[in-house]
Structures are given as structure tokens and as C-alpha cells.
Amino acid sequence: MSDEPRSWHREALIALGGVSAVRTLGATWRIRVVHGERFQALRAARQPIIFVHWHGQLLPLLFQHRGEGVTVLISEHADGEIIARAAERLGFRTVRGSTSRGAARALLGLVRAAREGHDLAITPDGPRGPAHTVAPGTLVVAQRTKAAIVPVAVAASSAWRLKSWDAFMIPKPFARVTVSYGEPIYIEQADVREAVAESGRVAAALAAAEQAANV
């Protein structure tokens, strides 16, 4: 057996184990949603949505939005393969790539998914940081699709934090988990450079959503 099939088998087993752990752990969380009506109203109006959140808060959001068919951008790194398999098992669609690897293909995949009527989810500081910085890809997709950017932030009453660049959050069993949704942001600039310049506005909206989650 070659190294590639062994690698695929290992990643598949890890993904399956991860899905079981997420479902088991998530079932114990006491989840509070703040301003969920903001994205629900957009869905009711059939407005394309791009959920934007920091990479370190990915895990509780995979549980919160499981089974909704949201299209998630996941990197092509080895860890990304594991996350992609787990996300698909949780009912997400995936597009592979990032702003550093496979960027053009990833942007095309996201634009296509939005135009087909699927919500998107992007971690603008992924896959490797710097943490809490907004890469331009999110803004380019929003400009091309006219999708509403919905900032999302998560806070937990108790959580483990990995010693990683993003301080990856794993809420502990029976933690109170708050998921906060910010006001939708629309990127209306025709010039792509002007659209990308809105990164500070998205970062500020994420900070505001995080503040609301921590209240």
C-alpha cells in the first residue's frame, strides 16, 4: 500500500472520530444566540450570505450550523483535509483553497456556490494567520456576488485553548456558548481595490460581534 492511501485512511478515521466528538460535546453546550434574526431575515429574502468568523472560533460554529448546507472554505493543507472531511460529515459543502494556496480556484468555487444559492462561510484570517486579520478574498467574493457579509463571533464560559496561532477554542462540556451575529455588510464598490479596502470595516464588525457575545 502506498503512502497516499495510508494518509487518506488516517485522515478519514480522524475525521469520523472528530465528528462524533463534536456532536457529543456540542450536545452538552448551553447555546445562546444573539441577533440570529439578522441572518434569518436574509435567508427568508433569499439574499446570499457570507458568514465571516475568526479561525479560532470554527469548532462551535460547525456544531451550530450543522446540516444547513453552508459552503465552507477550507485550506488545502493536511489539517484542512481532516477538517473538510469532518465538515462534510456534519452537513456542510466545502471549497478547497485559501488566499495563499489555490486562491483563484477557491474564489471561483465560492462565487459559483453563492450564485447557486448556497450560504458561504469564510475565516478571513485562515488558514495560518496572522490572527484577527482580514484577507482580501472575502471582500472579492462579496463584491462579485453581492452577498451580505454577516460577522459571527463566539464566546464560551469555559473552554480549552490550543497553543496554536489562532488560540483554537474548544468549549468545555456543559459550557455556556454564545453565538453573536453582527449587522450585515454590503460591498458595493465597483473597483476591486476599493472593495478590498473595506477589510478594516469587516474587522471592526467582528470585534463588535465578539463584544456582544461576551456581554
Side-chain angles (χ1 to χ4, degrees):
M1 184 180 292
S2 69
D3 289 342
E4 184 176 353
R6 277 202 302 269
S7 175
W8 184 93
H9 185 65
R10 172 181 171 276
E11 290 162 355
L13 287 175
I14 292 172
L16 287 171
V19 169
S20 177
V22 170
R23 285 178 173 155
T24 301
L25 183 60
T28 74
W29 295 335
R30 294 167 292 155
I31 297 178
R32 178 174 71 103
V33 175
V34 178
H35 295 310
E37 73 280 357
R38 288 172 172 167
F39 80 88
Q40 295 290 5
L42 294 171
R43 280 183 170 172
R46 298 186 180 278
Q47 166 68 46
I49 297 171
I50 304 174
F51 293 108
V52 176
H53 60 90
W54 299 130
H55 195 276
Q57 299 175 3
L58 173 64
L59 182 63
L61 291 172
L62 284 176
F63 180 79
Q64 177 66 9
H65 285 280
R66 67 196 185 282
E68 296 181 7
V70 176
T71 298
V72 185
L73 177 63
I74 297 176
S75 78
E76 294 180 325
H77 296 98
D79 290 347
E81 184 64 25
I82 296 170
I83 294 172
R85 293 185 186 281
E88 288 166 0
R89 295 279 298 183
L90 287 166
F92 292 84
R93 303 170 80 253
T94 59
V95 169
R96 303 303 304 277
S98 68
T99 54
S100 57
R101 294 180 62 181
R105 184 172 68 256
L107 290 176
L108 287 173
L110 290 170
V111 169
R112 185 181 302 113
R115 289 174 176 169
E116 290 173 354
H118 300 285
D119 293 340
L120 310 179
I122 301 176
T123 55
D125 58 347
R128 294 187 174 180
H132 293 194
T133 58
V134 177
T138 303
L139 297 152
V140 173
V141 174
Q143 182 209 36
R144 292 184 181 179
T145 62
K146 306 305 179 186
I149 295 175
V150 176
V152 191
V154 180
S157 59
S158 60
W160 293 291
R161 294 277 186 174
L162 300 186
K163 293 181 179 179
S164 55
W165 65 267
D166 59 352
F168 196 80
M169 171 198 294
I170 305 174
K172 293 182 179 180
F174 306 102
R176 183 177 66 255
V177 176
T178 300
V179 182
S180 174
Y181 298 88
E183 290 280 4
I185 296 172
Y186 296 91
I187 305 301
E188 300 176 345
Q189 291 84 346
D191 185 276
V192 69
R193 289 169 296 184
E194 293 179 0
V196 168
E198 292 289 284
S199 60
R201 183 180 170 200
V202 174
L206 279 164
E210 196 156 20
Q211 185 175 18
N214 281 289
V215 171

